[in-house]
Amino acid sequence: MTSPAESASRIPEAVHRRRWAILGVLMLSLLIVVLDNSILNVAIKTISTPAPTGLGATQSELEWAINSYTLVFAGLLFSAGLLGDRLGRKKVLLGGLLVFGIGSALAASSGSPVQLIAFRAVMGLGAAFVMPATLAVLMNVFERDEQPKAIGIWAGGVGLAIAIGPITGGVLLDHFWWGSVFLINVPIVVVALGLMVWLVPDSRDPNPGRIDPVGVVLSVVGLVLLVYGIIKGGQLADFTDAKVLATIAAGLVVLVGFVVYEKRSDHPSIDIDYFRNKVFSAAISAIALVFFALMGVTFFAVFYTQSVRGYSPLQTGLLMLPLAVAQLVFAPRARLVVDRFGNRATTTGGMLVIAAMLAAFATLEADTPLWILEVIFFLMGAGMAHIMTPTSVVIMQALPREKAGSASALSNTFRQVGGALGIAVLGSVLSAAYRSGIEDKLPEAARHEAGESIEATLAFAAKLGPKGEALVGPADDAFLHAMHVTALCGAGVALVGALVVYLFLPGRTPTPEDKNPELATADH
């Protein structure tokens, strides 16, 4: 057992003094990586228009512009976390930011959809090294008692980035060409690199053991196959397709092989015994489930506000501001709720709020007053804040400090896979429900293409001229029905999450005052 004095001495005084400035630099790095995922959603419509305005990308090419980033990011997160623990987190962070900045500049100058897809993959490569390293550095510059507060601010930053992405994208597209949504990253990367070299200390696992090349390869191949299969199923809106099933099954088989190999290895990349800790496993599952629900919702919320309500990309981004505000307000304070009520009550409450807000989406119509949508987004952000902060603290404190990169990479991998699953699964539910609602209103020859999404139907209606106006009402009705079905599916997933955290997360830890009430009265 280490004494408080020994524990305090683990962090040099100079680093301890500038810890909040270091957190600011880490937040800047995190902001562009997360922001870039949501900023592209707003630019999709512009990129799909023919040159010179856009690239004339097809629906499939657009999906791959988003998914090439997610695929590389999710596939390499775990290995990137391990490399950070071994080589030094600062080096990995600097290298990741540099690659991300170069990828952003190349993506901005893409001359074709194929180039954009390739350069987005380069950005995903850089992002995979940035994301886990930010949380790992944070764990090494803050003492254990301050870690929940710092992680709360970190989690608030993730929420802020998700919400301001569409606003930033909308402003840029109003004034500049589509490539500006990527080029904006370059000056931020330059500033972040300079501040990082100056402020951030390096840290690594002092006893990393031998490299585990087989484990690294198995984890990358397994994750890439799994995420690719999920994405493909979402694109086809059919998870029973033979290719989709085969790819997902192959990914799962490789990941099972990874687990078996790691259990038998004398120098594993990850100690599988960590997952025997029910608290650790429940916290990681909760993060995956909350991102499953959240990413699925933001996916259909954009179509609801733009296609049904007719708002611009910038207005859509502004409508999502309450979600960011709630994250910023509640994420840093969630630790106080945990201190009062415990992890179990706080996280279960957050999950139930998310489930209720998803169910509330099933009540929205084309003319629902906007303030109702704003309240839903705000409460959703509040619910997320009370899940992300406690679960991140549980995960990061469950593993030894020197394994911070691995712990961060694991939680981020589950978050990414959960988010990809959310978009793919809830996206296919939306697609299938929409298609069944609109098909009989479309001419037989146009059913396949025009029934793919509300955007496809409206584009087909525009080609028909005045005749096509009769399709707008049925398209809105079919989409609203599909959104209601999808929202209820998302609410079901959030309820499963609530059950998991209620059963397995710890309750309130008794304080010295609880054990000895005389201590509390002695203070007054």
Side-chain angles (χ1 to χ4, degrees):
M1 186 83 177
T2 55
S3 72
E6 283 176 296
S7 142
S9 67
R10 295 183 65 175
I11 298 172
E13 182 55 35
V15 172
H16 185 71
R17 273 202 309 271
R18 62 176 193 260
R19 64 198 185 284
W20 296 108
I22 292 168
L23 179 60
V25 181
L26 297 176
M27 297 280 287
L28 189 63
S29 315
L30 181 73
L31 194 73
I32 52 168
V33 169
V34 179
L35 182 138
D36 201 77
N37 246 347
S38 55
I39 205 171
L40 184 63
N41 292 337
V42 177
I44 281 174
K45 224 170 175 175
T46 313
I47 293 169
S48 66
T49 43
T53 308
L55 289 174
T58 64
Q59 179 76 18
S60 171
E61 286 168 338
L62 282 174
E63 285 177 12
W64 276 115
I66 295 171
N67 293 331
S68 61
Y69 181 89
T70 307
L71 194 62
V72 176
F73 189 29
L76 291 176
L77 263 172
F78 179 64
S79 303
L82 290 172
L83 271 173
D85 285 347
R86 172 175 289 279
L87 302 175
R89 285 128 196 171
K90 180 176 181 174
K91 293 186 192 75
V92 162
L93 201 45
L94 290 169
L97 269 177
L98 189 62
V99 170
F100 185 83
I102 292 167
S104 298
L106 292 170
S109 57
S110 301
S112 69
V114 175
Q115 283 183 4
L116 179 62
I117 292 165
F119 296 142
R120 286 275 299 160
V122 173
M123 291 169 71
L125 172 68
F129 285 85
V130 172
M131 189 93 173
T134 58
L135 200 45
V137 170
L138 180 155
M139 293 301 286
N140 276 276
V141 297
F142 283 91
E143 291 295 358
R144 193 176 177 88
D145 60 337
E146 275 191 326
Q147 284 169 1
K149 185 179 181 182
I151 288 174
I153 295 168
W154 182 91
V158 174
L160 174 70
I162 288 170
I164 64 168
I167 299 169
T168 313
V171 169
L172 290 169
L173 291 172
D174 272 1
H175 296 94
F176 306 104
W177 96 116
W178 65 266
S180 60
V181 300
F182 301 116
L183 202 60
I184 188 75
N185 295 331
V186 177
I188 302 173
V189 165
V190 171
V191 171
L193 283 170
L195 289 171
M196 205 165 285
V197 169
W198 176 40
L199 284 171
V200 176
D202 206 356
S203 61
R204 67 178 76 193
D205 184 347
N207 302 301
R210 285 184 291 146
I211 293 176
D212 173 26
V214 177
V216 167
V217 169
L218 286 174
S219 72
V220 172
V221 171
L223 283 167
V224 166
L225 283 171
L226 177 66
V227 176
Y228 179 82
I230 292 165
I231 289 168
K232 200 69 189 160
Q235 277 184 336
L236 299 173
D238 179 13
F239 279 84
T240 58
D241 181 83
K243 276 185 190 167
V244 171
L245 286 174
T247 312
I248 291 174
L252 291 171
V253 167
V254 174
L255 288 174
V256 169
F258 167 70
V259 170
V260 171
Y261 179 82
E262 293 297 286
K263 284 185 87 167
R264 292 180 177 175
S265 172
D266 58 355
H267 56 289
S269 295
I270 180 71
D271 189 343
I272 300 299
D273 286 344
Y274 291 142
F275 287 95
R276 287 190 179 166
N277 178 337
K278 286 178 185 173
V279 172
F280 179 79
S281 296
I284 269 197
S285 305
I287 280 185
L289 290 168
V290 80
F291 266 79
F292 179 100
L294 180 82
M295 295 308 284
V297 171
T298 45
F299 184 70
F300 66 64
V302 166
F303 286 108
Y304 170 68
T305 51
Q306 288 189 32
S307 304
V308 176
R309 304 289 296 245
Y311 292 109
S312 71
L314 177 56
Q315 289 168 324
T316 298
L318 290 168
L319 285 174
M320 294 184 84
L321 255 185
L323 193 136
V325 170
Q327 285 265 312
L328 275 177
V329 170
F330 293 110
R333 291 171 176 78
R335 69 198 161 81
L336 304 174
V337 184
V338 172
D339 290 345
R340 180 79 192 273
F341 300 105
N343 272 309
R344 181 191 298 146
T346 306
T347 316
T348 305
M351 275 291 191
L352 290 174
V353 168
I354 294 240
M357 290 311 100
L358 282 163
F361 262 100
T363 66
L364 297 180
E365 299 295 341
D367 56 354
T368 300
L370 266 187
W371 67 265
I372 293 177
L373 183 64
E374 297 300 82
V375 169
I376 291 173
F377 278 140
F378 183 80
L379 291 175
M380 203 163 220
M384 264 198 80
H386 289 93
I387 299 162
M388 291 302 298
T389 304
T391 50
S392 296
V393 171
V394 165
I395 291 164
M396 296 307 292
Q397 292 191 343
L399 269 61
R401 195 179 208 154
E402 52 276 8
K403 301 289 182 192
S406 307
S408 174
L410 275 171
S411 69
N412 282 308
T413 301
F414 273 75
R415 177 184 297 158
Q416 281 300 312
V417 172
L421 261 171
I423 290 173
V425 175
L426 295 181
S428 7
V429 170
L430 186 75
S431 237
Y434 178 76
R435 191 181 282 280
S436 68
I438 196 70
E439 266 187 338
D440 58 346
K441 311 282 191 305
L442 293 166
E444 205 162 323
R447 276 180 189 173
H448 180 70
E449 265 187 46
E452 191 182 325
S453 65
I454 185 168
E455 282 296 311
T457 308
L458 295 176
F460 174 71
K463 279 183 198 166
L464 295 178
K467 275 189 193 172
E469 282 172 25
L471 280 173
V472 175
D476 285 353
D477 293 342
F479 177 81
L480 287 168
H481 169 71
M483 181 177 87
H484 296 163
V485 171
T486 310
L488 291 173
C489 289
V493 170
L495 285 174
V496 171
L499 186 63
V500 168
V501 293
Y502 177 75
L503 291 175
F504 298 113
L505 282 193
R508 182 167 172 260
T509 309
T511 62
E513 288 82 356
D514 290 331
K515 292 174 185 171
N516 186 356
E518 288 173 23
L519 276 177
T521 52
D523 286 339
H524 296 293

